[in-house]
Amino acid sequence: MRGNQLSLETFVGNSTSREDVTAYLKERVYRRSRPSGVMRWMRRGVLPGLRRPDLNLVLGSPAIHSTEGLADWVAEAVGDLAESWPDHATVIVAYDLQDRHRVPFGTEEAPPARLKNAVAASAAVPFVFQPVLIRDRWYADGGIASGTSVDLLLGSEEPLDLVIVVAPLAAAERRPGARFYEDIFDRFGRTALEGEIELVKQSWPDTEFLVIRPDHRVLAAARPNPMSAEAAMPAFMRTLRSMKHELAAPATWEVLRRHIVVETDT
């Protein structure tokens, strides 16, 4: 979005140490707030969850961090674009707490939204970030329903040749020394992603999929709390190294070569 370039400054500012990075993220992204919205949580999460226990029990929960920090961070990174929407096709998925379904902002199926608010809503993990109010409705992290939302690609008018999926919640292998809840989340993420890909393949049998997942080093860096400011930069740096290694693998490059490499006569 910034001249078609990614800048590390977007994530860490002018920080020169791990301590500086943590402080930078706490100020801009992990902005503390007084937990509020208990009644909203009771209506949207607790009472429906008691009738049918599932992950929806956490919907609308109070949280220790305000999503205003996320919105301000986006505005600082992309400027005026934060108040509108990109010209290029861009879809950001959040979860409607009232109707209990995914909302793909940036499509005709979703209400208009500012980019900064849609990003904040899509990152509003229950108990960590407060939900986001957009046009009189509350939204939370779209990952409540799906960590990837691959199936939403079927909204495209034409089949796609190649789909690249970044799946941080669908680790391929069991973590060494995994805690019981880590196994549960990893297994849930893998199963959901496999189901979504299979659904797309039923309609687009010729589409190829390239799935990029976190390796054991990324998962280890995110412990014990992947949503903490302290874990953010170590996990991010290891993710870059992991992605570089995976993208350079012969099997991965063979897929990319079929779709995005233009060979010329020399």
Side-chain angles (χ1 to χ4, degrees), residues 141 143 146-148 166-171 175 185-190 214:
D141 180 13
S146 169
T148 49
V166 179
L169 302 179
R175 313 184 194 204
F185 280 111
D186 290 344
R187 189 163 54 250
F188 176 80
R190 285 194 299 269

Side-chain angles (χ1 to χ4, degrees), residues 170-193:
E173 301 177 357
R174 190 177 187 277
R175 313 184 194 204
R179 298 165 175 85
F180 77 93
Y181 60 85
E182 291 175 332
D183 268 346
I184 291 173
F185 280 111
D186 290 344
R187 189 163 54 250
F188 176 80
R190 285 194 299 269
T191 302
L193 176 59

Side-chain angles (χ1 to χ4, degrees), residues 117-235:
N117 294 335
V119 170
S122 74
V125 177
F127 291 117
V128 180
F129 290 103
Q130 297 276 8
V132 176
L133 187 64
I134 299 176
R135 294 182 176 267
D136 299 322
R137 300 183 78 86
W138 291 100
Y139 295 92
D141 180 13
I144 293 171
S146 169
T148 49
S149 290
V150 173
D151 54 313
L152 294 182
L153 290 172
L154 291 174
S156 171
E157 295 181 357
E158 299 291 338
L160 303 178
D161 297 324
L162 172 65
V163 175
I164 300 176
V165 184
V166 179
L169 302 179
E173 301 177 357
R174 190 177 187 277
R175 313 184 194 204
R179 298 165 175 85
F180 77 93
Y181 60 85
E182 291 175 332
D183 268 346
I184 291 173
F185 280 111
D186 290 344
R187 189 163 54 250
F188 176 80
R190 285 194 299 269
T191 302
L193 176 59
E194 290 167 1
E196 291 174 2
I197 290 177
E198 181 59 33
L199 183 63
V200 175
K201 283 185 174 181
Q202 290 175 10
S203 298
W204 299 350
D206 297 325
T207 297
E208 282 199 272
F209 287 83
L210 177 60
V211 181
I212 300 175
R213 311 170 189 261
D215 62 20
H216 67 279
R217 292 167 296 184
V218 175
L219 298 172
R223 284 176 167 170
N225 177 10
M227 295 306 301
S228 70
E230 289 78 8
M233 188 47 56

Side-chain angles (χ1 to χ4, degrees), residues 61-104:
S61 60
I64 60 174
H65 299 297
S66 167
T67 45
E68 292 179 359
L70 284 164
D72 290 346
W73 185 50
V74 172
E76 182 180 321
V78 303
D80 293 342
L81 181 59
E83 301 294 334
S84 55
W85 200 262
D87 293 330
H88 297 294
T90 302
V91 178
I92 298 174
V93 182
Y95 193 87
D96 186 320
L97 300 187
Q98 180 174 330
D99 289 344
R100 306 171 87 81
H101 67 80
R102 287 176 296 174
V103 175

